[in-house]
Amino acid sequence: MKKIFLIALLSSFVSMAYAQSDTLTTDKVANYVDKPVIIKGIVAGARRFESGNERAPFLLINLDENYPNSPLTVVVYKEVLEKITINENELTGKKVVANGKISVFRGRHQLVIEKPEDLKISN
């Protein structure tokens, strides 16, 4: 009986850990503003900006559709760019998994990458 209780207790802790973030696709981001999520999408386009912001250089990665129709832009500021190697010219068509909080900037949904491990890019 103790083993069953221990397994049930452990299972509830594991499920609570996974409940901290929702995994979703870009078409659902409007419902998750200010909430931690894990986003999955395909890079439609990416552009690096060398100036124009105190956190420049920075990289904008549009998921699933090109700007201005992209439902979500992943933003990578210099603090993270300095720690990873990304060639923005080779990103189109790649799969992205991004972890962070959805926010709105100038009427558009974005997810700012805070740590290098919050952004995974694959073929």
Side-chain angles (χ1 to χ4, degrees):
M1 188 66 160
K2 287 182 183 179
K3 285 184 181 180
I4 293 173
F5 177 73
L6 183 59
I7 290 171
L9 185 62
L10 185 59
S11 295
S12 68
F13 283 127
V14 169
S15 64
M16 282 191 290
Y18 281 105
Q20 297 301 314
S21 332
D22 293 314
T23 301
L24 58 135
T25 54
T26 59
D27 60 331
K28 306 222 179 356
V29 297
N31 300 323
Y32 289 85
V33 174
D34 294 327
K35 296 179 183 173
V37 295
I38 299 170
I39 296 284
K40 293 180 180 181
I42 304 294
V43 177
R47 184 169 175 201
R48 183 183 296 258
F49 293 84
E50 297 299 329
S51 62
N53 183 309
E54 65 275 358
R55 294 177 77 183
F58 61 95
L59 177 66
L60 301 180
I61 303 170
N62 293 307
L63 298 184
D64 294 337
E65 292 187 49
N66 283 316
Y67 179 84
N69 299 319
S70 179
L72 181 73
T73 300
V74 175
V75 182
V76 186
Y77 287 114
K78 74 177 172 185
E79 300 84 22
V80 175
L81 277 178
E82 291 171 346
K83 298 174 184 170
I84 58 177
T85 302
I86 295 180
N87 182 343
E88 66 274 7
N89 299 317
E90 297 176 358
L91 288 177
T92 301
K94 295 199 174 181
K95 296 176 186 175
V96 169
V97 177
N99 185 17
K101 241 186 213 182
I102 301 294
S103 59
V104 178
F105 179 74
R106 294 185 180 170
R108 306 185 95 44
H109 293 100
Q110 68 176 16
L111 185 148
V112 176
I113 299 298
E114 300 292 338
K115 305 174 293 208
E117 58 268 19
D118 289 341
L119 181 64
K120 306 267 188 281
I121 300 170
S122 62
N123 291 329

